[in-house]
Amino acid sequence: MVSRTAADVVAGARRAGDLAALDAAVADCFACPRLVEWREEVATTRRAAFRDQVYWGRPVPGFGAGDARIGILGLAPAAHGGNRTGRIFTGDRSGDVLFAALHRAGLANQPTSLARDDGLTVRGTRIFAAVRCAPPDNKPTPAERDTCAPWLHREIELIRSTLRVVVALGAFAWAAWWPAMTRVYGVRPPSPRPAFGHGAHWSPPAPVPHLLGCYHVSQQNTFTGRLTPAMLDEVFGRAKTLAGLD
């Protein structure tokens, strides 16, 4: 069923009985007019390097294991990455960095993420975004974030039984975790909330997952050296230990 309003998103998320149903519902969401206009404009005009490709141009579902012990939470798909390929962190420089790190950690079968049919698989890991459509300037509005939140909440509910740690890529994802945690686990965040930072670690009482902070794998961070491969390796090494995936 197509979602065209915030109420439709809430109802669609509730109806999704498994990840496959949720992924299909996410891909049929039209609830945020600004994001719909932008994702479709990008898919129509295309970047010169990809002018011969057919863009996905729709919301991008999560990717990975249904029994994930590690969740990786990002901001939103990239306009010419996930919005083009239809898979989160796929076909852009951020994905190159992320999946190279996951491969070094033994959590991905290959170090590259180029297209939905490239054979990529991940172990014990699910990757998803707080906002499922590519936003202009990578900046969703608070209303768009809140409209999209039920998709994230339902995805966490569906992997709740195995999820042990969430890696938040950037401050936006870190902030998005707290209402998701309250919605799924019925636990209020501490006051004051722990501040985001690379390597930050909030250890809650079970069954709430551990929360790890990691600078986003954006070019602004990786090209400037603010985020290095060694820093990513340390975060995912800790995530594996906390998740029992060593």
Side-chain angles (χ1 to χ4, degrees), residues 69-70 123 162 164-165 237-246:
R69 299 180 71 84
I70 297 173
R123 178 174 72 93
T162 58
R164 297 293 176 266
V165 57
R238 290 174 65 192
K240 285 178 63 180
T241 298
L242 291 168
L245 288 174
D246 283 334

Side-chain angles (χ1 to χ4, degrees), residues 166-188:
V166 172
V167 178
L169 298 178
F172 189 98
W174 181 270
W177 170 251
W178 304 112
M181 178 188 73
T182 299
R183 173 64 180 83
V184 175
Y185 295 91
V187 174
R188 292 182 178 274

Side-chain angles (χ1 to χ4, degrees), residues 47 49-50 76-85 87-102 104 111-114 138 169 215-224 227 229 232:
R47 179 174 283 173
F50 309 123
H80 301 282
N83 188 58
R84 172 173 61 89
T85 63
R87 191 172 69 196
I88 193 72
F89 286 112
T90 297
D92 60 22
R93 294 292 182 86
S94 295
D96 293 343
V97 173
L98 177 62
F99 282 101
L102 293 177
R104 292 194 301 272
T112 57
S113 179
L114 302 176
N138 285 325
L169 298 178
Y215 289 148
H216 196 279
V217 288
S218 65
Q219 293 183 58
Q220 293 95 319
N221 289 331
T222 58
F223 280 16
T224 61
L227 178 63
L232 280 168

Side-chain angles (χ1 to χ4, degrees), residues 70 72 99 101-110 120-125 236-237 239-240 245:
I70 297 173
I72 299 175
F99 282 101
L102 293 177
H103 183 255
R104 292 194 301 272
L107 296 172
N109 70 323
Q110 61 190 43
L120 176 67
T121 61
V122 292
R123 178 174 72 93
T125 303
F236 287 120
K240 285 178 63 180
L245 288 174

Side-chain angles (χ1 to χ4, degrees), residues 10 24 28 31 38 43 60 76 92 99 107 111 115 124 130 151 160 206 222 225 227:
V10 172
D28 272 339
W38 174 250
V60 180
D92 60 22
F99 282 101
L107 296 172
W151 300 129
R160 172 178 172 165
T222 58
L227 178 63

Side-chain angles (χ1 to χ4, degrees), residues 40-55 80 84:
E40 293 180 353
E41 177 184 340
V42 170
T44 300
T45 58
R46 299 189 291 265
R47 179 174 283 173
F50 309 123
R51 64 164 54 96
D52 61 338
Q53 299 183 21
V54 176
Y55 274 52
H80 301 282
R84 172 173 61 89

